[in-house]
């Protein structure tokens, strides 16, 4: 797939997905029906675990960082250096909600991207591949949420924000890898495109 491919974007008839910047970490939101329609066993397990959810926010990142840094104020130089400089175990964070994500994440910066069915299927497959299983490790950071064992190692060149960018590119949605190192850069890039 070409870096500049944009075949997954459909402004007029696409199904919306969302990316929200929560200060240092970005999350990718998919509607329940996307998981139900395009998901495999992993999505079906998540749907069963959160039967009341209208949407699912997916985040992938350093296990230690997620558990030790619930807010940006909790970040220390030592925690950040460990997460970025040494490859570490990853986790998937799934938070769920009802109604509009815009109404839930009023303090976060977000962008809505309408995508084709084919793009949505590819993005769901990418997201499912980010978790090694569907057994919950513990309660998540906010709302109805949970942590799951991740697949892959977290490091300077594979961060939570670059993972969201890769998910979009899997669906042929333009997202530049460079700005995606930081959540603000990821949103800046997406807003100028969509």
């Amino acid at each position: 797939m070409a870096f500049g491919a944009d075949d997954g974007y459909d402004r007029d008839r696409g199904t919306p997905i969302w990316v929200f910047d929560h200060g240092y970490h970005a999350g990718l939101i998919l509607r329940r029906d996307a998981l139900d329609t395009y998901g495999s066993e992993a999505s079906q397990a998540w749907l069963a675990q959160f039967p009341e959810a209208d949407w699912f926010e997916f985040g992938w990142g350093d296990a230690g960082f997620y558990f030790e840094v619930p807010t940006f104020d909790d970040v220390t130089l030592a925690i950040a250096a460990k997460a970025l400089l040494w490859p570490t175990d990853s986790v998937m964070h799934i938070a769920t909600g009802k109604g509009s994500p815009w109404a839930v994440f009023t303090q976060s910066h977000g962008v809505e991207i309408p995508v084709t069915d084919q793009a949505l299927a590819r993005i769901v497959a990418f997201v499912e591949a980010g978790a090694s299983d569907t057994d919950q490790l513990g309660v998540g950071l906010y709302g109805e949420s949970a942590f799951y064992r991740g697949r892959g190692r977290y490091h300077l060149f594979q961060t939570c924000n670059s993972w969201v960018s890769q998910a979009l590119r899997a669906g042929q949605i333009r997202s530049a890898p460079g700005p995606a190192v930081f959540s603000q850069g990821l949103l800046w890039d997406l807003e100028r495109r969509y």
Side-chain angles (χ1 to χ4, degrees):
M1 165 188 25
F3 168 71
D6 206 16
D7 298 333
Y9 178 65
D10 185 347
R11 180 171 52 163
D12 298 323
R13 294 182 308 278
T15 299
I17 63 172
W18 299 265
V19 176
F20 278 90
D21 170 10
H22 299 300
Y24 62 93
H25 166 77
L28 171 66
I29 297 179
L30 304 175
R31 293 186 342 194
R32 178 180 200 87
D33 59 346
L35 299 180
D36 194 34
T37 302
Y38 301 108
S40 67
E41 295 83 18
S43 288
Q44 297 310 312
W46 297 328
L47 291 168
Q49 290 170 9
F50 300 103
E52 301 298 317
D54 291 338
W55 49 262
F56 292 70
E57 181 194 46
F58 296 91
W60 178 97
D62 174 66
F65 200 84
Y66 259 121
F67 290 123
E68 296 173 34
V69 186
T71 69
F72 188 72
D73 293 337
D74 298 312
V75 175
T76 67
L77 183 59
I79 291 171
K82 178 184 168 203
L84 291 174
L85 300 177
W86 289 275
T88 55
D89 291 336
S90 63
V91 293
M92 169 86 67
H93 182 255
I94 300 177
T96 66
K98 294 184 72 58
S100 168
W102 294 108
V104 174
F105 295 123
T106 59
Q107 302 300 309
S108 296
H109 192 174
V111 62
E112 180 176 302
I113 306 168
V115 301
T116 65
D117 291 347
Q118 188 174 34
L120 200 50
R122 290 177 179 154
I123 291 168
V124 169
F126 181 93
V127 166
E128 288 182 336
S132 64
D133 60 51
T134 57
D135 298 329
Q136 293 184 4
L137 297 176
V139 176
L141 297 176
Y142 43 83
E144 293 289 324
S145 60
F147 284 105
Y148 301 84
R149 192 169 293 105
R151 182 172 285 127
R153 305 282 281 168
Y154 182 96
H155 51 80
L156 180 61
F157 302 107
Q158 183 63 36
T159 68
C160 52
N161 304 310
S162 63
W163 182 86
V164 171
S165 178
Q166 290 163 6
L168 296 173
R169 291 195 312 271
Q172 294 187 305
I173 300 299
R174 290 181 190 215
S175 177
V181 170
F182 301 104
S183 58
Q184 297 89 348
L186 174 64
L187 266 288
W188 168 81
D189 179 55
L190 294 175
E191 285 183 324
R192 70 187 186 90
R193 295 176 190 276
Y194 306 105

